[in-house]
């Protein structure tokens, strides 16, 4: 019997794996920097609060949740909570964040 021999061309080299890992880390670093910049711009000077008044009624619950999660993940918990609170004021009965007294009592 002969031993099975693995085709070495199908196994990535250690150098290729390191290069791939470094490329992935570089992409992650660029993503993290972009997300931090986005969160900083959207929260400085109350931009989120100002825009919520103008756009909260047009944000879907999923959009408000996604933006809130992004802001919170970037360390802007207060802005994230404010966004959801302001968004809830524009939700209609039956929507996720709606908080009127009539619905709460039901």
């Amino acid at each position: 019997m002969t031993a099975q021999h693995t085709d070495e061309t199908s196994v990535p080299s250690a150098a290729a794996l390191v290069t791939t890992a470094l490329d992935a880390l570089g992409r992650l670093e660029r993503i993290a920097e972009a997300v931090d910049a986005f969160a900083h711009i959207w929260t400085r000077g109350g931009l989120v609060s100002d825009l919520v008044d103008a756009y909260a009624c047009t944000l879907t619950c999923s959009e408000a949740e996604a933006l809130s999660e992004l802001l919170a993940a970037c360390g802007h918990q207060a802005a994230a909570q404010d966004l959801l609170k302001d968004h809830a004021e524009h939700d209609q009965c039956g929507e996720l964040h709606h908080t009127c007294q009539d619905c709460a009592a039901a």
Side-chain angles (χ1 to χ4, degrees), residues 5-77:
H5 194 74
T6 304
D7 181 9
E8 291 181 18
T9 59
S10 66
V11 177
S13 69
L17 290 173
V18 167
T19 299
T20 301
L22 290 174
D23 287 345
L25 286 173
R27 284 192 304 273
L28 285 173
E29 183 178 12
R30 287 192 308 273
I31 290 168
E33 289 170 355
V35 167
D36 285 343
F38 176 89
H40 176 73
I41 288 167
W42 275 73
T43 57
R44 74 171 178 209
L47 180 60
V48 169
S49 299
D50 293 343
L51 290 177
V52 164
D53 290 336
Y55 295 104
C57 59
T58 62
L59 286 177
T60 66
C61 289
S62 329
E63 293 164 346
E65 286 281 335
L67 182 53
S68 175
E69 287 288 329
L70 179 63
L71 294 172
C74 293
H76 300 280
Q77 285 79 11

